[in-house]
Amino acid sequence: MKVTISLIKADIGSIGGHIKPSEELLKKVEEVVTTEGKGTLIDSYVGHTGDDIGILMTHTEGENSEKIHEFAFDAFMEGTELAKKQGLYGAGQDLLKDSFSGNVKGMGPAVAEMEFEERPNEPFLAFAADKTDPGAYNLPFYLAFADPMYCAGLILSPKMGKGYTFRIMDVEYTEGDKIVELNAPEDLYDIAALLRDQERYVIENIYSRETGDVAVSISTTRLHNIAGKYTGKDDPVALVRVQGNFPATGEVISPYAIGHFVAGFMRGSHHGPLMPVTKNSPISYFDGPPVVNCLAFCVKDGILTQPADVFDHPFWDYVRNNVSRKSEDIRRQGFFGPAMLPFSELEYGGIVDRLKNLEGKFTVRKEEVKAS
Ligand code: F6R
Ligand code: MG
Ligand code: MG
């Protein structure tokens, strides 16, 4: 059967700052999705990552379906009403427009979707990250789909030896979707040259070259490009099909042991190491550190199993300790050098005004010419 999985996520308000949504808010969103989706949605799951609520839906309406996006939009709108009533902080933060125009892409919520013919058994992963942006996935998915040092299947499995096609988007370009498709392994250096710049080039999809099947879908929204000002980091989601022709779950998650540095953290304006956390984790130290969680599901005729929380294992406690150490290390240098993002990426305008004011105070010293 052909099924579509849609993962749509937004921050519509949280308790005590940008920490986590209230239980009532989560329930409200879940309630709206299940009531409105009756008859159209096959199944759904609602959870949170930091201050963001994620809605996972299965259906047969295909990608970019107005109907499906509207369920999510309505749930976030009704949720926002409750968030306002409860006095939650940043109520409706990620809903940049308040009337629905057919597709939630470009409105604020992060969207990852994939339509495919279900395999007899269909395992997949749903990732959600908070306090960071879509480029946070560049390194882990590059390693999982193109580097045999992390993905043994690339050399061991006859089903994976042809490699994968990466569809990469230039998210600085705002006139339309500027994309390029490159093949691993032949175009590896070109892929690397783009993905190294996590703020500009981000992976949108990855496809198996053996079958042409979609393997990965990542939300590529950049809120500050949409809104033209700070509205919160983009807090991206990703869907990944695993096993068989695709990397194993263990291969896909292995790069998250690095705790690589990503943009985000406090005020969306710093670098911090990405911490793999368990489901429904809140935000803490320095409004961070940037976090990612990953739920593994199987889907059969569109019906979801219960989720398996892949970062809920003693191994990841060890990783979390290392990532805490890395967070503290970079925080020691405050705003200096790579600790704070470069000027173009700062999410708050204060520094722009400050520098503008200072410009007027600068003088240019003329070299005195001494008579010989
Ligand atoms: C980052 C984030 C927080 C806020 C910070 C200040 O994505 O959400 O770090 O930027 O707590 O928030 P405001 O400006 O809402 O007071
Ligand atoms: Mg928030
Ligand atoms: Mg968030």
Side-chain angles (χ1 to χ4, degrees), residues 350-363:
I351 202 159
V352 179
D353 303 335
R354 198 173 288 282
L355 292 179
K356 235 186 244 159
N357 284 340
L358 283 170
E359 195 51 38
K361 295 189 181 172
F362 273 92
T363 56

Side-chain angles (χ1 to χ4, degrees), residues 75-129:
F76 289 138
M77 284 304 281
E78 286 195 39
T80 297
E81 283 314 303
L82 177 68
K84 282 183 183 158
K85 253 186 224 146
Q86 288 194 312
L88 297 188
Y89 191 68
Q93 173 186 296
D94 284 353
L95 301 179
L96 302 177
K97 296 173 188 161
D98 46 25
S99 60
F100 182 67
S101 59
N103 191 315
V104 285
K105 265 191 192 167
M107 295 184 70
V111 185
E113 292 184 292
M114 41 168 67
E115 183 185 35
F116 53 83
E117 195 64 48
E118 260 185 19
R119 296 172 285 174
N121 40 67
E122 183 65 59
F124 74 93
L125 309 176
F127 286 89

Side-chain angles (χ1 to χ4, degrees), residues 44 50 55 66 68 70 116 136 150 174 181 198 230 235 240 247 249-250 265 290 292 294 298-299 301 323 360 362 370:
S44 61
I55 309 172
E66 182 169 341
I68 302 299
E70 197 162 11
F116 53 83
Y150 282 79
T174 51
E181 284 190 6
Q198 300 184 142
Y230 180 71
D235 304 342
V240 186
T249 299
F265 222 161
V292 61
C294 174
C298 278
V299 57
D301 301 327
V323 171
F362 273 92
K370 284 194 188 126

Side-chain angles (χ1 to χ4, degrees), residues 269-328:
S269 302
H270 295 82
H271 279 124
L274 187 65
M275 181 183 277
V277 294
T278 57
K279 77 178 158 84
N280 300 337
S281 288
I283 288 303
S284 184
Y285 173 63
F286 201 58
D287 280 6
V291 293
V292 61
N293 75 18
C294 174
L295 298 183
F297 294 87
C298 278
V299 57
K300 182 80 180 168
D301 301 327
I303 295 172
L304 296 166
T305 57
Q306 67 188 78
D309 192 352
V310 298
F311 294 136
D312 186 10
H313 183 280
F315 173 80
W316 298 100
D317 290 336
Y318 155 79
V319 170
R320 285 188 274 271
N321 283 337
N322 286 342
V323 171
S324 298
R325 224 176 347 253
K326 286 177 78 167
S327 306
E328 206 197 13

Side-chain angles (χ1 to χ4, degrees), residues 11 14 17-18 51-52 89-90 93 131 235:
D11 173 358
S14 51
H18 299 268
D51 59 11
D52 308 316
Y89 191 68
Q93 173 186 296
K131 307 302 169 200
D235 304 342

Side-chain angles (χ1 to χ4, degrees), residues 15 23 25 29 140-141 161 173 200 240 249 279 282 293 297 314 351:
I15 303 174
E23 290 299 325
L25 186 52
V29 169
F141 290 143
Y173 189 79
R200 174 151 187 195
V240 186
T249 299
K279 77 178 158 84
N293 75 18
F297 294 87
I351 202 159

Side-chain angles (χ1 to χ4, degrees), residues 36-242:
E36 275 204 29
K38 219 178 200 139
T40 309
L41 293 183
I42 304 174
D43 208 349
S44 61
Y45 177 88
V46 174
H48 82 89
T49 309
D51 59 11
D52 308 316
I53 296 183
I55 309 172
L56 182 70
M57 295 172 280
T58 60
H59 54 92
T60 52
E61 301 287 318
E63 294 172 27
N64 291 312
S65 151
E66 182 169 341
K67 226 181 192 176
I68 302 299
H69 285 214
E70 197 162 11
F71 295 150
F73 181 78
D74 289 349
F76 289 138
M77 284 304 281
E78 286 195 39
T80 297
E81 283 314 303
L82 177 68
K84 282 183 183 158
K85 253 186 224 146
Q86 288 194 312
L88 297 188
Y89 191 68
Q93 173 186 296
D94 284 353
L95 301 179
L96 302 177
K97 296 173 188 161
D98 46 25
S99 60
F100 182 67
S101 59
N103 191 315
V104 285
K105 265 191 192 167
M107 295 184 70
V111 185
E113 292 184 292
M114 41 168 67
E115 183 185 35
F116 53 83
E117 195 64 48
E118 260 185 19
R119 296 172 285 174
N121 40 67
E122 183 65 59
F124 74 93
L125 309 176
F127 286 89
D130 190 26
K131 307 302 169 200
T132 186
D133 59 20
Y137 293 122
N138 282 13
L139 176 64
F141 290 143
Y142 167 81
L143 294 176
F145 284 84
D147 187 345
M149 293 288 283
Y150 282 79
C151 180
L154 293 171
I155 49 175
L156 293 178
S157 165
K159 297 173 178 171
M160 295 167 63
K162 284 196 186 140
Y164 294 87
T165 300
F166 285 68
R167 184 189 284 164
I168 297 170
M169 184 182 282
D170 175 354
V171 289
E172 294 278 285
Y173 189 79
T174 51
E175 306 294 305
D177 291 346
K178 189 174 165 190
I179 52 168
V180 64
E181 284 190 6
L182 297 166
N183 290 325
E186 305 90 284
D187 303 328
L188 206 61
Y189 294 168
D190 289 336
I191 295 172
L194 294 178
L195 296 186
R196 129 207 122 69
D197 187 347
Q198 300 184 142
E199 302 324 300
R200 174 151 187 195
Y201 299 105
V202 304
I203 303 168
E204 185 180 46
N205 291 109
I206 301 176
Y207 298 92
S208 159
R209 294 176 70 194
E210 177 73 33
T211 60
D213 279 346
V214 63
V216 174
S217 172
I218 301 176
S219 63
T220 47
T221 335
R222 294 225 35 196
L223 289 178
H224 83 166
N225 283 350
I226 298 168
K229 63 174 169 42
Y230 180 71
T231 54
K233 265 278 176 265
D234 312 286
D235 304 342
V237 289
L239 291 169
V240 186
R241 294 170 74 196
V242 286

